[in-house]
């Protein structure tokens, strides 16, 4: 099953996968990161406002959706 994230950000999947694997930081591409963050926020994911914790939450969500 293909997820929304995998379809919408198909061209950015290598960056997303590297971020999930801890190789790179997804925030290096702020445009993509903000869109992914907004997507999960609109789904009702609770963010704390702390940028480090919120980034970890985004990575956890991406892991669940992509891996």
């Amino acid at each position: 099953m293909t997820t929304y994230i995998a379809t919408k950000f198909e061209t950015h999947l290598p960056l997303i996968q590297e971020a999930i694997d801890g190789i790179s930081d997804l925030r290096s591409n702020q445009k993509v990161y903000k869109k992914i963050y907004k997507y999960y926020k609109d789904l009702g994911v609770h963010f704390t406002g702390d940028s480090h914790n919120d980034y970890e939450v985004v990575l956890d969500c991406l892991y669940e959706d992509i891996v």
Side-chain angles (χ1 to χ4, degrees), residues 42-64:
D42 290 347
L43 282 180
V45 174
H46 177 71
F47 291 104
T48 63
D50 177 272
S51 62
H52 178 71
N53 288 338
D54 290 350
Y55 181 68
E56 293 299 321
V57 170
V58 167
L59 289 181
D60 289 344
C61 291
L62 285 170
Y63 178 81
E64 291 295 323

Side-chain angles (χ1 to χ4, degrees), residues 14-29:
L15 172 67
I16 292 170
Q17 188 62 52
E18 287 178 1
I20 291 170
D21 294 340
I23 298 169
S24 68
D25 192 323
L26 185 58
R27 295 170 290 191
S28 64
N29 187 328

